[in-house]
Each structure stands twice: as structure tokens, then as C-alpha cells.
Amino acid sequence: MAVENSLHFERQEAYEWPLAVYLLLGGIGGAFISLSFILHYLFSWSPVGNYGMLIGMGLFALAGLVLIFLDLERPLNAIYSLNNIKTSGISWDVVLIALSFGGAFFYVLPFYVSIPALEGLRLFFGGISAIAGFLFPVISGGLISAPVSVPLWHTPLLPVLFLINSFGVSVSAVPAIFGPGSEILAFIFNLAVFMANLVSLGGFIAFYEHAHNGPVEARYGFHEMWKKFNFQIGFLVVGLLFPLLLSGYMLFTGNFLSWGFGALALAQLIGGFALRNCLLKHGYHTYPWPY
Amino acid sequence: MARYGMVIDLRTCVGCQACSAACATENQTPYWSDKWRTRVLDIEKGEYPNTGRHFVPTICMHCEEPACLTICPSQATFRDENGSILVNYDTCLGCKACMAACPYGARYVYDKNDVAKNREIHGELSQHNVVHIDKCTFCFDRVERGLEPACVATCPAHTRIFGDLDDPNSEVAKLVASGIAKPLRPDLNTKPKVFYIY
Ligand code: SF4
Ligand code: SF4
């Protein structure tokens, strides 16, 4: 552990930007799969059911590759991570990706080949895939926040912020890629993005409270993060305030700008990376020594 | 089976770092990258004229409820029959989750540069031939041969005391039972088996 400023604040060095990318891509991948399944199932929106699922699978695959080849010191040993689902949350994370990816695969397959035996099981595979996809950002955020060793992260607000951001990006990206479908759907998408960002703002304020009322290492990490351009512009302005204002404008004027959903998706994507990366970068270890 | 633990008496530590050197020699730890299984913090505290200098030897606490063990996805981190927490070099993914989860900063990555450098130094006798997470083992191989861990055997000030916490006649068990030796940050709930007198 590197010593920074004083012995009291030792920055964690285990998690760096590749993990932030993994959390972001995996979270959005899971959200994309869940959303695509719901839109296909409830609204019979076939292009989303097909290509939306494929996009989610692609994001999961990318997340897995980033984790294995950029984060793990021993990529080939990744296979052992399936070894410990009884106790390790990380193993659950891997299993969730596998379930969501596999379920989506069998859900999408009938779009391309007719397999009568699969038809009856399609809802089952889609459901499994959607649930596992939904759980991914929750569990992965929970894994970061569970240990007591980094007080800034030690809060259930982390998985909540990751989940909302992942869904915010996906709910904006679907109408941007596939078109809003109808006026009423455009309104629903817009309302969902607005609400997600409102809840994100609330979640962030609660996180601020957690950091300020928490141990000195949490306060220190938060203050260091607060001063950074990436955090101020990347997360607060681009990732939070801009989507809140733009979705609010579109919602209250009924003027769904042609570029609006694309801009919302991109802004929340940038904000999502900035949030995850800044949080990881400013995790300071708890101080265990008696002096 | 024993339940090994250690007491570290901060009142007697002179900060000579002999323990760190002995450990590095015994266990081929990458001192060239400033990575240690045990290091001695040199802490200055207070404002002139009320200042103090404290030496704090640090080490894996071989916790009873180790945060590193429950997070490990590959069971590379495991508990041996004597309650010590060890790492299986062959199955470790190098995911570093244990490093982030350990509240005592006891772990580091024995990376590919370290492996190469160690091979250069020790050749066939290299103990670290693959990239892995490394940490204190309570020198289990020495203990099996009836020896004390290298840091304990080397300490000139009897700062480090090693033994079986389940043996009521051992020095460690007596110090812990007396209440003079205390775990650090018991509020973190990892139940360390290394205790400090300070
Ligand atoms: S001190 Fe850290 S590495 Fe050692 S057993 Fe406890 S949690 Fe694990
Ligand atoms: S780095 Fe190795 S020992 Fe640590 S949690 Fe990952 S697999 Fe387990």
C-alpha cells in the first residue's frame, strides 16, 4: 500500500480503471438485457427483443474480456472463479454474467433458427437472463461496498447508484438506437430517465452524508475526489445535472428532441465511468494501527 | 492441532527492521519492489515539544473471520489445520479482491517482474515461480520443523512472541488472557490472532 500525505491515509491499490470499465460495461449489459426482455415481452417489440439482447450480450462479453485480460494478474486462472459460489460474492458475479449471457443466447436463438423444443422454454430463458442481468450491477456494487477495509465504499448506496446509472444509460440508449416507438413510449422512456437521475441525485446526496458522517478515511477520500475535474465535470455536470435538466426539459415541454435520447445515453455513460473510476481511485484504507 | 497466534510488544520494539530482513531472506519476498510480508512502521506523532516516535511491526493477523478468505473467488485463500490463512499460488487469479478487503494491508501482488527478479537471484531454489498474491504464512514450514517464524527468531528485543493460543501454558495465551495484549480494531470484526501490547 502506498503512503500518501500521512500514514493515516493509505490509498487502496487493488482496484484500478479496468475494474471501473468492467463494472460499467457489465452493469449496462445487464440492464440492457433486462430492459430488452421486458420491452419484447410486454410490448412485443421484436427488434429490441432481438438486437437489444445481442447488445447486452456484447457488453457482457466485453466486460468479461476487460476483467480477464486487463485486471486479472493470471487470466487463465479465471476458470477457478466458478469454484466458490458457496461463499464468495465474486463467484456469484461470474455466475450471474454466465446465466444472463446464456439465457439471452437461448432467448435470441429462435429469431434466427426454428427450434420447436426451445419455444416453450423461451420465457424461462428470457426471465432468467433478465433477473441475472438486473442483479449484476447490484451484486458487483455490493462486492465493492461489503468489506470494511475501505470506509468510503462501505455503504449500500454504492450498488444503488450503480444500478440506477446502468438503467439510466439503457433506458436512454434503447429509444436512441431503435427509435422511441410511439409518443407514449417516448414519454415513458423520458420519465424513467428523469426519475433515474432524480433518484441518482438523492442517492448522491445520501452518499455525501455517508462520507461526511463516516470515519476520517471516508471524509478524506471524498474530499480528494470532490476536488477532481473528472468528478466535478465528468460525473456531477455531464453525468448527473445535464441528464436531469435535459430529460426534465423534454418531459415538461413535450419536445422530444431528435438527438435527446442519444445525448442522454452518452452523458450518463460518461458519468457512470467517472463515478465508478473516481470512487475506486479515492478509496482509502481504514487505519488500523494504534498510533 | 494448534491455533497459532502472535503477540507484538510495541513497548520493546527498537525499529531495527531485523524481522523484515529475516522474513525477506527466509521467504524470498520482493524487497527490491518495496513489498514486505512484515514491515515496521516508523510513526512520529505529536507537536513539538510533545512528540513521540513509535515503531509498529505489521503482519497478516491470520484472522479468525478473515475478510480476505470470504471474498476469494477461487479458494486460493484458505485456512490450514492450524488456523493460519494461506494462499495457494497455483489457483490464485490475481483478482486482488483480497488485497482490497484486508483491513490490515497485509497482502501484495508478487507480479511477473518480481517472479523474474527472484528467479534471477535464487535460480532453481526460487519459491515464487508464478504471479500470485503474497502474504505472511506464519512460516508454517519452519514451524512444522519445530522452529519459530523467522521474524520471531530474529527479533533481538523479544518484541514478537509466537505460540499456540489454545495452549493455556503458552506465553501468547497468557498475555492474551491477561488482557495486556489486545487485537487492533476489534470493531472491524475480523477477529485477528495477532495481538499488540502498547
Ligand atoms: S490480516 Fe488481512 S490478509 Fe491476514 S487474515 Fe486478516 S484479512 Fe486476511
Ligand atoms: S487475488 Fe488470489 S487469493 Fe486474492 S481473492 Fe483473488 S484469487 Fe483469491
Side-chain angles (χ1 to χ4, degrees), chain B residues 59-69 77 84-85 98 101-107 135-136 190-192:
Chain B
I59 192 172
C60 167
M61 307 276 167
H62 293 276
C63 308
E64 309 242 32
E65 303 284 346
C68 59
L69 187 138
T77 292
S84 303
I85 303 301
C98 52
C102 169
Y104 299 99
R107 294 175 166 242
K135 65 177 275 297
C136 162
T190 60
K191 298 197 183 138

mmCIF file of all heavy atoms in Angstrom, chain B residues 59-69 77 84-85 98 101-107 135-136 190-192, ligand 1:
data_model
loop_
_atom_site.group_PDB
_atom_site.id
_atom_site.type_symbol
_atom_site.label_atom_id
_atom_site.label_comp_id
_atom_site.label_asym_id
_atom_site.label_seq_id
_atom_site.Cartn_x
_atom_site.Cartn_y
_atom_site.Cartn_z
ATOM 1 N N ILE B 59 1.931 -7.151 10.159
ATOM 2 C CA ILE B 59 1.973 -8.535 9.651
ATOM 3 C C ILE B 59 0.530 -8.970 9.384
ATOM 4 O O ILE B 59 -0.407 -8.335 9.897
ATOM 5 C CB ILE B 59 2.646 -9.437 10.719
ATOM 6 C CG1 ILE B 59 2.999 -10.820 10.168
ATOM 7 C CG2 ILE B 59 1.799 -9.565 11.960
ATOM 8 C CD1 ILE B 59 3.847 -11.639 11.151
ATOM 9 N N CYS B 60 0.352 -10.041 8.627
ATOM 10 C CA CYS B 60 -1.005 -10.594 8.487
ATOM 11 C C CYS B 60 -1.472 -11.069 9.863
ATOM 12 O O CYS B 60 -0.716 -11.711 10.595
ATOM 13 C CB CYS B 60 -0.995 -11.771 7.516
ATOM 14 S SG CYS B 60 -2.525 -12.723 7.570
ATOM 15 N N MET B 61 -2.706 -10.765 10.193
ATOM 16 C CA MET B 61 -3.227 -11.075 11.530
ATOM 17 C C MET B 61 -3.791 -12.503 11.614
ATOM 18 O O MET B 61 -4.317 -12.894 12.640
ATOM 19 C CB MET B 61 -4.348 -10.096 11.888
ATOM 20 C CG MET B 61 -3.968 -8.643 11.748
ATOM 21 S SD MET B 61 -3.128 -8.077 13.221
ATOM 22 C CE MET B 61 -2.459 -6.529 12.654
ATOM 23 N N HIS B 62 -3.777 -13.225 10.501
ATOM 24 C CA HIS B 62 -4.320 -14.590 10.461
ATOM 25 C C HIS B 62 -5.677 -14.638 11.176
ATOM 26 O O HIS B 62 -5.903 -15.443 12.094
ATOM 27 C CB HIS B 62 -3.309 -15.590 11.050
ATOM 28 C CG HIS B 62 -2.091 -15.710 10.182
ATOM 29 N ND1 HIS B 62 -2.021 -16.533 9.099
ATOM 30 C CD2 HIS B 62 -0.917 -15.035 10.206
ATOM 31 C CE1 HIS B 62 -0.847 -16.398 8.493
ATOM 32 N NE2 HIS B 62 -0.173 -15.481 9.146
ATOM 33 N N CYS B 63 -6.544 -13.754 10.717
ATOM 34 C CA CYS B 63 -7.842 -13.534 11.371
ATOM 35 C C CYS B 63 -8.683 -14.823 11.458
ATOM 36 O O CYS B 63 -8.594 -15.697 10.587
ATOM 37 C CB CYS B 63 -8.639 -12.499 10.588
ATOM 38 S SG CYS B 63 -7.733 -10.979 10.274
ATOM 39 N N GLU B 64 -9.522 -14.859 12.486
ATOM 40 C CA GLU B 64 -10.470 -15.987 12.615
ATOM 41 C C GLU B 64 -11.645 -15.800 11.654
ATOM 42 O O GLU B 64 -12.275 -16.758 11.232
ATOM 43 C CB GLU B 64 -11.010 -16.066 14.044
ATOM 44 C CG GLU B 64 -9.937 -16.054 15.095
ATOM 45 C CD GLU B 64 -9.898 -17.308 15.921
ATOM 46 O OE1 GLU B 64 -10.211 -18.381 15.397
ATOM 47 O OE2 GLU B 64 -9.543 -17.188 17.103
ATOM 48 N N GLU B 65 -11.988 -14.532 11.371
ATOM 49 C CA GLU B 65 -13.049 -14.225 10.404
ATOM 50 C C GLU B 65 -12.432 -13.371 9.302
ATOM 51 O O GLU B 65 -12.710 -12.175 9.203
ATOM 52 C CB GLU B 65 -14.184 -13.434 11.079
ATOM 53 C CG GLU B 65 -14.837 -14.095 12.269
ATOM 54 C CD GLU B 65 -15.780 -15.213 11.855
ATOM 55 O OE1 GLU B 65 -16.125 -15.298 10.667
ATOM 56 O OE2 GLU B 65 -16.138 -16.012 12.738
ATOM 57 N N PRO B 66 -11.580 -13.948 8.476
ATOM 58 C CA PRO B 66 -10.797 -13.123 7.555
ATOM 59 C C PRO B 66 -11.613 -12.604 6.378
ATOM 60 O O PRO B 66 -12.262 -13.386 5.666
ATOM 61 C CB PRO B 66 -9.701 -14.074 7.076
ATOM 62 C CG PRO B 66 -10.187 -15.436 7.381
ATOM 63 C CD PRO B 66 -11.303 -15.372 8.349
ATOM 64 N N ALA B 67 -11.546 -11.290 6.172
ATOM 65 C CA ALA B 67 -12.248 -10.686 5.038
ATOM 66 C C ALA B 67 -11.665 -11.186 3.727
ATOM 67 O O ALA B 67 -12.370 -11.295 2.722
ATOM 68 C CB ALA B 67 -12.129 -9.170 5.130
ATOM 69 N N CYS B 68 -10.383 -11.524 3.743
ATOM 70 C CA CYS B 68 -9.710 -11.965 2.519
ATOM 71 C C CYS B 68 -10.201 -13.343 2.076
ATOM 72 O O CYS B 68 -10.253 -13.634 0.883
ATOM 73 C CB CYS B 68 -8.209 -12.015 2.751
ATOM 74 S SG CYS B 68 -7.759 -13.140 4.079
ATOM 75 N N LEU B 69 -10.556 -14.168 3.031
ATOM 76 C CA LEU B 69 -10.934 -15.555 2.709
ATOM 77 C C LEU B 69 -12.339 -15.614 2.112
ATOM 78 O O LEU B 69 -12.574 -16.306 1.117
ATOM 79 C CB LEU B 69 -10.840 -16.415 3.964
ATOM 80 C CG LEU B 69 -11.046 -17.912 3.763
ATOM 81 C CD1 LEU B 69 -10.041 -18.696 4.588
ATOM 82 C CD2 LEU B 69 -12.432 -18.356 4.152
ATOM 83 N N THR B 77 -7.235 -18.552 -1.314
ATOM 84 C CA THR B 77 -7.003 -18.215 0.087
ATOM 85 C C THR B 77 -7.737 -19.238 0.934
ATOM 86 O O THR B 77 -8.933 -19.460 0.739
ATOM 87 C CB THR B 77 -7.532 -16.799 0.394
ATOM 88 O OG1 THR B 77 -6.708 -15.860 -0.298
ATOM 89 C CG2 THR B 77 -7.479 -16.489 1.877
ATOM 90 N N SER B 84 -4.038 -20.956 10.375
ATOM 91 C CA SER B 84 -3.331 -19.885 9.656
ATOM 92 C C SER B 84 -3.964 -19.703 8.281
ATOM 93 O O SER B 84 -4.452 -20.655 7.681
ATOM 94 C CB SER B 84 -1.844 -20.234 9.504
ATOM 95 O OG SER B 84 -1.282 -20.447 10.781
ATOM 96 N N ILE B 85 -3.931 -18.449 7.799
ATOM 97 C CA ILE B 85 -4.532 -18.149 6.499
ATOM 98 C C ILE B 85 -3.417 -18.142 5.446
ATOM 99 O O ILE B 85 -2.450 -17.393 5.563
ATOM 100 C CB ILE B 85 -5.245 -16.775 6.539
ATOM 101 C CG1 ILE B 85 -6.298 -16.749 7.656
ATOM 102 C CG2 ILE B 85 -5.876 -16.451 5.191
ATOM 103 C CD1 ILE B 85 -7.386 -17.787 7.558
ATOM 104 N N CYS B 98 -8.828 -9.728 -2.395
ATOM 105 C CA CYS B 98 -8.383 -9.932 -1.002
ATOM 106 C C CYS B 98 -7.553 -8.753 -0.521
ATOM 107 O O CYS B 98 -7.627 -8.368 0.641
ATOM 108 C CB CYS B 98 -7.582 -11.222 -0.910
ATOM 109 S SG CYS B 98 -6.241 -11.316 -2.115
ATOM 110 N N ALA B 101 -9.906 -6.110 0.372
ATOM 111 C CA ALA B 101 -10.763 -6.441 1.519
ATOM 112 C C ALA B 101 -10.007 -6.479 2.846
ATOM 113 O O ALA B 101 -10.606 -6.269 3.902
ATOM 114 C CB ALA B 101 -11.433 -7.798 1.281
ATOM 115 N N CYS B 102 -8.709 -6.735 2.812
ATOM 116 C CA CYS B 102 -7.951 -6.862 4.078
ATOM 117 C C CYS B 102 -7.793 -5.496 4.737
ATOM 118 O O CYS B 102 -7.241 -4.574 4.144
ATOM 119 C CB CYS B 102 -6.571 -7.455 3.800
ATOM 120 S SG CYS B 102 -5.490 -7.330 5.254
ATOM 121 N N PRO B 103 -8.272 -5.342 5.968
ATOM 122 C CA PRO B 103 -8.165 -4.023 6.612
ATOM 123 C C PRO B 103 -6.773 -3.746 7.176
ATOM 124 O O PRO B 103 -6.534 -2.657 7.660
ATOM 125 C CB PRO B 103 -9.186 -4.095 7.753
ATOM 126 C CG PRO B 103 -9.790 -5.450 7.726
ATOM 127 C CD PRO B 103 -8.997 -6.300 6.803
ATOM 128 N N TYR B 104 -5.875 -4.724 7.138
ATOM 129 C CA TYR B 104 -4.568 -4.544 7.762
ATOM 130 C C TYR B 104 -3.428 -4.407 6.746
ATOM 131 O O TYR B 104 -2.253 -4.461 7.122
ATOM 132 C CB TYR B 104 -4.285 -5.707 8.726
ATOM 133 C CG TYR B 104 -5.313 -5.775 9.828
ATOM 134 C CD1 TYR B 104 -6.388 -6.659 9.760
ATOM 135 C CD2 TYR B 104 -5.244 -4.916 10.918
ATOM 136 C CE1 TYR B 104 -7.351 -6.699 10.761
ATOM 137 C CE2 TYR B 104 -6.205 -4.940 11.918
ATOM 138 C CZ TYR B 104 -7.253 -5.840 11.836
ATOM 139 O OH TYR B 104 -8.203 -5.870 12.819
ATOM 140 N N GLY B 105 -3.768 -4.266 5.482
ATOM 141 C CA GLY B 105 -2.742 -4.056 4.453
ATOM 142 C C GLY B 105 -1.702 -5.159 4.402
ATOM 143 O O GLY B 105 -0.517 -4.895 4.193
ATOM 144 N N ALA B 106 -2.159 -6.402 4.582
ATOM 145 C CA ALA B 106 -1.205 -7.497 4.745
ATOM 146 C C ALA B 106 -0.788 -8.153 3.422
ATOM 147 O O ALA B 106 0.083 -9.012 3.418
ATOM 148 C CB ALA B 106 -1.811 -8.556 5.661
ATOM 149 N N ARG B 107 -1.430 -7.757 2.315
ATOM 150 C CA ARG B 107 -1.193 -8.505 1.067
ATOM 151 C C ARG B 107 -0.614 -7.625 -0.037
ATOM 152 O O ARG B 107 -0.872 -6.426 -0.071
ATOM 153 C CB ARG B 107 -2.529 -9.093 0.583
ATOM 154 C CG ARG B 107 -3.068 -10.134 1.531
ATOM 155 C CD ARG B 107 -4.447 -10.611 1.111
ATOM 156 N NE ARG B 107 -4.754 -11.818 1.834
ATOM 157 C CZ ARG B 107 -4.969 -13.005 1.272
ATOM 158 N NH1 ARG B 107 -4.966 -13.136 -0.033
ATOM 159 N NH2 ARG B 107 -5.224 -14.065 2.015
ATOM 160 N N LYS B 135 1.596 -13.050 1.077
ATOM 161 C CA LYS B 135 1.380 -12.573 2.447
ATOM 162 C C LYS B 135 2.109 -13.489 3.417
ATOM 163 O O LYS B 135 2.580 -14.563 3.016
ATOM 164 C CB LYS B 135 -0.117 -12.548 2.777
ATOM 165 C CG LYS B 135 -0.733 -13.938 2.800
ATOM 166 C CD LYS B 135 -2.175 -13.913 3.189
ATOM 167 C CE LYS B 135 -2.368 -13.913 4.673
ATOM 168 N NZ LYS B 135 -1.859 -15.116 5.349
ATOM 169 N N CYS B 136 2.118 -13.093 4.682
ATOM 170 C CA CYS B 136 2.749 -13.887 5.741
ATOM 171 C C CYS B 136 2.081 -15.263 5.867
ATOM 172 O O CYS B 136 0.858 -15.382 5.762
ATOM 173 C CB CYS B 136 2.619 -13.131 7.053
ATOM 174 S SG CYS B 136 2.854 -14.153 8.506
ATOM 175 N N THR B 190 -12.883 -8.894 12.292
ATOM 176 C CA THR B 190 -12.159 -9.974 11.609
ATOM 177 C C THR B 190 -11.494 -10.921 12.620
ATOM 178 O O THR B 190 -10.910 -11.919 12.225
ATOM 179 C CB THR B 190 -11.077 -9.429 10.650
ATOM 180 O OG1 THR B 190 -10.157 -8.661 11.418
ATOM 181 C CG2 THR B 190 -11.665 -8.560 9.561
ATOM 182 N N LYS B 191 -11.571 -10.593 13.878
ATOM 183 C CA LYS B 191 -11.003 -11.419 14.964
ATOM 184 C C LYS B 191 -9.535 -11.783 14.694
ATOM 185 O O LYS B 191 -9.215 -12.968 14.465
ATOM 186 C CB LYS B 191 -11.846 -12.670 15.175
ATOM 187 C CG LYS B 191 -13.258 -12.361 15.605
ATOM 188 C CD LYS B 191 -13.916 -13.578 16.184
ATOM 189 C CE LYS B 191 -15.362 -13.283 16.539
ATOM 190 N NZ LYS B 191 -16.292 -14.335 16.195
ATOM 191 N N PRO B 192 -8.650 -10.815 14.752
ATOM 192 C CA PRO B 192 -7.226 -11.090 14.494
ATOM 193 C C PRO B 192 -6.633 -12.053 15.512
ATOM 194 O O PRO B 192 -7.065 -12.073 16.669
ATOM 195 C CB PRO B 192 -6.564 -9.712 14.656
ATOM 196 C CG PRO B 192 -7.660 -8.721 14.550
ATOM 197 C CD PRO B 192 -8.894 -9.392 15.051
HETATM 198 S S1 SF4 C 1 -4.916 -9.634 8.208
HETATM 199 FE FE1 SF4 C 1 -5.816 -9.416 6.188
HETATM 200 S S2 SF4 C 1 -4.773 -10.965 4.934
HETATM 201 FE FE2 SF4 C 1 -4.418 -11.526 7.081
HETATM 202 S S3 SF4 C 1 -6.087 -12.976 7.549
HETATM 203 FE FE3 SF4 C 1 -6.779 -10.921 8.218
HETATM 204 S S4 SF4 C 1 -7.942 -10.160 6.448
HETATM 205 FE FE4 SF4 C 1 -6.694 -11.877 5.706
#
